[in-house]
Structures are given as C-alpha cells and as structure tokens.
Amino acid sequence: MAQANETLFTLVAAFIQAPFCPLGWSLSYSNSQLRTVVERINNGEPLPNVMGEAQVTWETLASAVMEPFSTTGSTSMEEHTQTLVRSLRMLAEHHTDENLKHEYNSIKHGFRASA
C-alpha cells in the first residue's frame, strides 16, 4: 500500500506544481520533497502551486480534480468530492506517519535487485 500511496501523492504533487509536465516532476522529486508537499497540505501551510490558490487544501485539490465532471447543482458530485477529501486525508496521514515511513523504506530497499 505504501508504494501505491507514494505513486498517488507523486501524481497529486505533479497536478499541483507541474500539471503540464508531470513526468518531469515525477522523475525529479525526492521522498523528502514529496513528504513536505503532503505535510504542507495537511497543515494548511503555503505551497507553491499553479492552481492560483494562496493555500492548497485537500478540499481545493478535490474540487479542482472533480470540477471537470461536475454539473450545476449536482448533490452527488459534492458527495463524491467530500469522499475524495476524506480519502486523501486518510491516505496522507498514513503517508506521513514516521513509523510507517521506516517500515516502507525497509521494504522498498529490500526489493532492489542486486547482481
């Protein structure tokens, strides 16, 4: 699950900071940079972004993701957006948990191929 979390938040960070070049962001980030992005969103701290937001929150992010699919006055779309917000918050807490970080790094490094 930790690798899936890292992939998800890599795409989230690229969406926020480099939506026109997500591959570039994905190839150049470090785990500490990704953790910083997720922590800043969690804590409501300023984060450089191309969304034009002074502060990126899980709510503004979910709204930006869901906006192309919304229709005026759609109650179900608001419910879907709130579900996305809750899911992102839960996954972000998991991703930034110090104990889980060490476990994930141990597993990830253990899967590296060696000669």
Side-chain angles (χ1 to χ4, degrees):
M1 179 164 155
Q3 287 180 319
N5 258 0
E6 181 179 345
T7 302
L8 171 67
F9 289 118
T10 299
L11 294 171
V12 165
F15 178 79
I16 294 169
Q17 295 188 319
F20 302 109
C21 190
L23 179 60
W25 203 101
S26 300
L27 291 174
S28 65
Y29 82 94
S30 68
N31 283 338
S32 63
Q33 289 170 325
L34 183 60
R35 178 175 295 277
T36 298
V37 168
V38 174
E39 287 174 345
R40 284 187 176 184
I41 297 170
N42 273 347
N43 299 330
E45 297 172 11
L47 178 67
N49 66 87
V50 297
M51 297 167 53
E53 298 288 336
Q55 175 181 356
V56 177
T57 65
W58 295 121
E59 288 80 4
T60 58
L61 178 65
S63 294
V65 168
M66 299 299 283
E67 191 270 327
F69 307 105
S70 67
T71 57
T72 306
S74 173
T75 306
S76 64
M77 190 55 65
E78 181 60 31
E79 291 171 5
H80 293 311
T81 302
Q82 289 307 311
T83 300
L84 179 58
V85 168
R86 286 191 302 275
S87 300
L88 288 171
R89 277 196 182 125
M90 180 191 67
L91 292 170
E93 289 298 322
H94 186 271
H95 185 74
T96 57
D97 184 299
E98 271 306 303
N99 294 322
L100 295 175
K101 176 181 91 169
H102 298 300
E103 181 181 339
Y104 170 55
N105 285 337
S106 295
I107 292 168
K108 186 168 84 170
H109 295 290
F111 282 132
R112 287 191 176 156
S114 60

